[in-house]
Amino acid sequence: MTDQPSLFDEPQAIALAEKAIKQVGLKADQVWALEALKVVQMLSIQRHDFTTDDVWEWMNQLHPTMTTHEPRAMGAVMRRASAERLCAPTERYSKSLRPECHRRPIRIWQGL
């Protein structure tokens, strides 16, 4: 036996996920992240439920030339939006419509 933690240790997996999201958020373009947060705030006011697909769509409409080198940074944006009580995660999911996501399940968020 080694002292290496199991890959299936839930607390370890949660801690690693949190660390990865934080690192990605720190490396994201900060102007992009702030604009994405504003979009989340607008969606939270205008809609009861929304997904990150909606955030991406609005970002593309409002800021067509603005990008981030790390699309996973949207997770950090959503965590921050949740911490700031702009929205809350639900236990519901829908399939992403973004081609690069290959219809993977994405969380539905509730505006607060």
Side-chain angles (χ1 to χ4, degrees):
M1 274 299 198
T2 66
D3 290 331
Q4 184 175 0
S6 167
L7 293 175
F8 301 103
D9 178 21
E10 186 175 7
Q12 177 76 9
I14 291 169
L16 289 172
E18 292 295 327
K19 181 179 177 183
I21 290 169
K22 185 175 182 177
Q23 287 176 335
V24 167
L26 291 172
K27 292 179 182 178
D29 180 284
Q30 294 305 301
V31 174
W32 175 89
L34 286 173
E35 291 304 316
L37 189 64
K38 290 177 188 176
V39 167
V40 172
Q41 184 176 24
M42 288 188 290
L43 282 167
S44 294
I45 292 167
Q46 293 189 5
R47 296 187 185 176
H48 179 67
D49 294 332
F50 63 95
T51 68
T52 53
D53 277 1
D54 299 312
V55 180
W56 283 110
E57 182 180 343
W58 278 42
M59 282 293 289
N60 288 334
Q61 289 176 11
L62 296 172
H63 309 287
T65 60
M66 188 177 288
T67 61
T68 184
H69 71 283
E70 181 54 81
R72 294 178 299 172
M74 187 63 78
V77 169
M78 298 308 295
R79 291 281 174 99
R80 181 173 174 186
S82 181
E84 292 184 12
R85 306 251 329 122
L86 300 176
C87 60
T90 70
E91 295 300 318
R92 296 178 294 132
Y93 293 81
S94 66
K95 292 188 182 206
S96 177
L97 300 177
R98 296 174 55 227
E100 60 270 30
C101 293
H102 307 288
R103 300 208 21 94
R104 70 175 167 78
I106 56 174
R107 183 180 298 275
I108 297 172
W109 294 81
Q110 180 180 20
L112 296 178

